Amino acid sequence: MGGPVGSRVAGVPFEADRDVPALIVKFGDYPLHHGGVGAIRSLGRLGVPMYAITEDAYTPAACSRYLTRAFVWRTRGTEDAGHLVEGLLRIGRRIGRPTVLVPTDEEAAVLIAEHQDALAGPFLFPRVAPGLPRQLASKQGLYELCVEHGVPAPATSFPQTYEDVVAFAEQARFPVVAKNREAFVRRSRPAVNGTTRITTREGLLTLARDWGERPGVVLQEYLPREQAEDWIVHAYFAQDATPQALFTGVKVRSWPPHAGMTAHAYVVDNPELADLAERFVKQIGFTGIVDLDLRYDRRDGQYKLLDFNPRMGAQFRLFESESGVDVVRALHLDLTGRPVPAGEQRSGHRFVVENIDLPALLAYRRSGYTTPHAPARATGTELAWLAADDPLPFVTMLARFVRPGVKHLYQLWRTHRRGSATSARG
């Protein structure tokens, strides 16, 4: 692939170290992941050798022209940590040179943080307090950090027993939201299928009967969608906790509606939000890539932190500076000892996930949700799947998505509707 000296990519005023490859690390069975494809393209276009863990040899990521090699390793995300660490070390030996790790899910981010010493030989990654990513990925852990550092968050309760749920129901103001307490139970023993809006006391108690003796849920204040706006922050923080890249944007649509992954979003300058995110990340001492979800509550004028993902977000390619830097490029540049060029974000740019934005659009037309801060017209568009220089991931996505994907979207929609309907019936 050549060394660090070579011709620059058009429009990019820096060069990446082509002697240091990167590995996309993911655990669990979700082959249609546009974030991984985006990371492969982002660094691959700079000449960085790219490797990825994939479910099989025919995922969109495995078909990218920028991928040097796919390591087929089907995991569930629930395996023993020792088994996963040994698997990563085996991949590191096959690559044969120091490699930057790019985790795309919480399971991978937590594993890397908690086994830093074992992985430090063949791999490069930001060093962080070992227990911090797990705490941030936990709804309870994140809420406790928000309270400690004065960061606004929705009022949240953590029931330990069914009796705690009953006591909560007696004094709660409905509707409320139920979420799985830990990110790591979503594949093994989820209490709810994603974020679930519950409209009545009776509906809550009906659902709670299936949660067992120790409910693995959090019960959270509902922020009315007609009085709220969803914002995102993506950033890369270096080892000294300074942001090498920090971007803000607003969600227009997500799937499932109002509770899932970003389907359509815009880059919007928001200094207040950027300052809040930077202060919080510095206070907790996190280093690496972050993906934050916040909801602006028009009732009190506060940005309330909903999720802190201690890893690359699937929609990270929405954000790129005028210098050509995104958070994955910032990660690779910093870990290879190269400066990260400064530059303003591309305000007005938008990101569209083709396979989920259409159903999201149809759902949002009926919801009454608006995004006043979204630009009236985009200054440019980044598609999640389709790229003229790398068409096969889009084709592969279509081939794998049409039947099972439509069925999956329908099931997500039914789950979302069933949660509301069950609660309404009480």
Side-chain angles (χ1 to χ4, degrees):
M1 296 296 295
V5 178
S7 60
R8 290 190 176 117
V9 175
V12 177
F14 61 86
E15 293 178 2
D17 190 335
R18 299 180 181 182
D19 283 334
V20 181
L23 172 67
I24 308 301
V25 185
K26 63 191 292 290
F27 298 127
D29 188 8
Y30 53 102
L32 299 185
H33 186 253
H34 53 273
V37 172
I40 291 166
R41 288 170 173 166
S42 180
L43 291 176
R45 286 169 179 151
L46 301 180
V48 174
M50 294 302 297
Y51 298 86
I53 296 171
T54 65
E55 291 81 353
D56 56 63
Y58 303 101
T59 69
C63 295
S64 172
R65 63 171 286 198
Y66 293 108
L67 190 71
T68 301
R69 179 176 178 180
F71 293 98
V72 176
W73 183 17
R74 186 177 291 275
T75 59
R76 300 184 306 277
T78 58
E79 291 85 354
D80 174 74
H83 169 75
L84 296 176
V85 169
E86 178 51 41
L88 280 179
L89 292 174
R90 187 163 53 249
I91 290 172
R93 290 192 291 270
R94 294 170 77 175
I95 295 175
R97 49 180 163 163
T99 301
V100 172
L101 295 183
V102 185
T104 64
D105 52 39
E106 284 79 5
E107 289 82 357
V110 168
L111 184 88
I112 293 167
E114 293 181 350
H115 297 84
Q116 295 176 69
D117 292 341
L119 297 171
F123 297 116
L124 304 174
F125 46 84
R127 304 295 290 224
V128 65
L132 186 56
R134 182 179 291 273
Q135 186 178 9
L136 292 167
S138 160
K139 302 298 183 189
Q140 182 168 351
L142 176 60
Y143 182 75
E144 290 169 350
L145 284 173
C146 287
V147 172
E148 179 182 350
H149 296 287
V151 173
T156 307
S157 177
F158 307 95
Q160 300 297 317
T161 64
Y162 179 79
E163 288 69 28
D164 289 345
V165 177
V166 173
F168 172 87
E170 293 298 329
Q171 51 81 37
R173 179 179 178 181
F174 287 87
V176 297
V177 172
K179 300 178 181 179
N180 290 307
R181 184 174 303 187
E182 307 294 341
F184 318 100
V185 302
R186 59 184 172 175
R187 297 190 179 109
S188 58
R189 52 184 189 285
V192 290
N193 292 315
T195 301
T196 303
R197 178 173 174 264
I198 305 171
T199 58
T200 66
R201 172 185 177 275
E202 291 75 17
L204 172 59
L205 297 180
T206 298
L207 288 175
R209 293 189 185 101
D210 295 329
W211 292 343
E213 294 182 2
R214 296 183 60 82
V217 300
V218 301
L219 299 172
Q220 200 170 72
E221 168 194 11
Y222 174 70
L223 304 179
R225 62 186 61 151
E226 63 275 8
Q227 296 293 330
E229 195 172 39
D230 290 328
W231 287 80
I232 48 181
V233 176
H234 286 218
Y236 173 73
F237 285 80
Q239 207 65 45
D240 61 358
T242 59
Q244 300 294 301
L246 196 156
F247 307 99
T248 59
V250 66
K251 284 187 185 182
V252 175
R253 292 184 286 275
S254 58
W255 187 265
H258 308 284
M261 71 172 63
T262 300
H264 197 127
Y266 284 86
V267 180
V268 177
D269 292 334
N270 190 327
E272 178 186 355
L273 184 57
D275 180 65
L276 184 152
E278 181 176 350
R279 283 188 290 108
F280 183 53
V281 173
K282 285 184 175 180
Q283 286 171 338
I284 63 176
F286 185 84
T287 58
I289 296 176
V290 302
D291 166 19
L292 311 184
D293 287 317
L294 303 99
R295 184 160 292 172
Y296 179 67
D297 190 341
R298 297 191 187 102
R299 297 171 301 176
D300 57 16
Q302 290 187 320
Y303 292 94
K304 298 179 179 179
L305 184 56
L306 304 179
D307 290 299
F308 189 120
N309 301 305
R311 41 80 180 169
M312 179 201 84
Q315 72 276 20
F316 84 96
R317 279 298 302 159
L318 166 65
F319 301 110
E320 185 179 296
S321 73
E322 294 172 350
S323 300
V325 172
D326 60 33
V327 293
V328 172
R329 288 176 172 178
L331 169 77
H332 191 275
L333 288 169
D334 184 52
L335 292 179
T336 56
R338 292 174 172 246
V340 180
E344 299 295 324
Q345 63 180 11
R346 305 174 298 175
S347 294
H349 207 78
R350 70 173 175 174
F351 183 78
V352 178
V353 185
E354 303 95 311
N355 57 320
I356 61 174
D357 190 43
L358 179 58
L361 173 62
L362 298 176
Y364 273 68
R365 283 180 173 175
R366 300 190 297 268
S367 73
Y369 176 79
T370 60
T371 50
H373 285 91
R377 182 175 300 174
T379 58
T381 300
E382 177 92 14
L383 297 177
W385 294 108
L386 185 61
D389 63 333
D390 189 30
L392 273 182
F394 175 75
V395 175
T396 308
M397 179 276 292
L398 286 180
R400 298 186 70 140
F401 175 79
V402 172
R403 289 187 62 186
V406 169
K407 180 180 178 181
H408 178 61
L409 287 177
Y410 177 69
Q411 289 173 338
L412 287 175
W413 177 81
R414 285 200 63 185
T415 299
H416 181 73
R417 296 281 294 176
R418 190 182 301 121
S420 299
T422 300
S423 304
R425 289 196 300 269

